[in-house]
Amino acid sequence: MPTPKFKKGQSGNPNGRPPGKTPGAQIRKAIVERKDDILAAVIDAAVNGDMQACKMLLDRITPTLKPQATPVNIPTGATLPETGGNVVDATLNGSIAPDVGAMLIRALAEQGKLIELQELTERLQRIEKQLELRP
């Protein structure tokens, strides 16, 4: 049987890869060396109407706008389906945006699942108690 070239659990290259020799490291080094020229070229391109250069610069200096939720005032019903109907009505008449209406309907559906789970748990506990009392 041939002898293995490397011993189990021992690295064949204990010193690791020499730093700065990967293509990525070489590109980073070249960029750092010419960063002032590159930045000036990108700024000049943006000033001269290059929209990609504009976008690149703006993405770096301004935060991304995030959607802001506005308060929603919808009457709650006596039941979840009634409240859901109110959400649908508000969505259809334009009182709330369709995406907000969809989120509210999903929230009501999840609430319905939680109520159902609680009711099933209570019912199971009652059944178990009745079974314990049986002779």
Side-chain angles (χ1 to χ4, degrees):
M1 178 175 240
T3 323
K5 190 173 182 181
F6 300 106
K7 292 181 183 176
K8 187 173 183 178
Q10 188 176 11
S11 173
N13 185 7
N15 295 331
R17 183 177 296 187
K21 296 295 183 186
T22 64
Q26 291 174 344
I27 290 171
R28 276 190 288 282
K29 183 180 176 190
I31 290 172
V32 167
E33 289 172 356
R34 306 269 323 262
K35 69 178 186 261
D36 293 335
D37 297 333
I38 293 169
L39 182 58
V42 172
I43 291 171
D44 288 343
V47 168
N48 290 325
D50 183 337
M51 295 311 290
Q52 286 184 324
C54 287
K55 180 179 179 349
M56 185 172 66
L57 290 173
L58 288 174
D59 286 347
R60 294 291 177 190
I61 63 171
T62 58
T64 305
L65 295 177
K66 296 179 182 168
Q68 295 182 348
T70 55
V72 176
N73 189 8
I74 297 173
T76 57
T79 63
L80 284 178
E82 188 177 326
T83 302
N86 292 344
V87 170
V88 170
D89 290 342
T91 303
L92 291 175
N93 71 28
S95 300
I96 60 173
D99 61 330
V100 173
M103 285 190 301
L104 290 172
I105 290 293
R106 281 193 300 274
L108 288 173
E110 293 300 319
Q111 180 67 22
K113 289 177 188 176
L114 290 173
I115 291 170
E116 182 180 2
L117 183 61
Q118 181 182 1
E119 289 173 352
L120 285 172
T121 301
E122 291 170 358
R123 182 176 178 199
L124 183 60
Q125 287 172 346
R126 284 194 307 270
I127 292 170
E128 287 175 345
K129 199 176 254 186
Q130 288 174 352
L131 289 175
E132 287 176 2
L133 295 175
R134 282 180 121 182

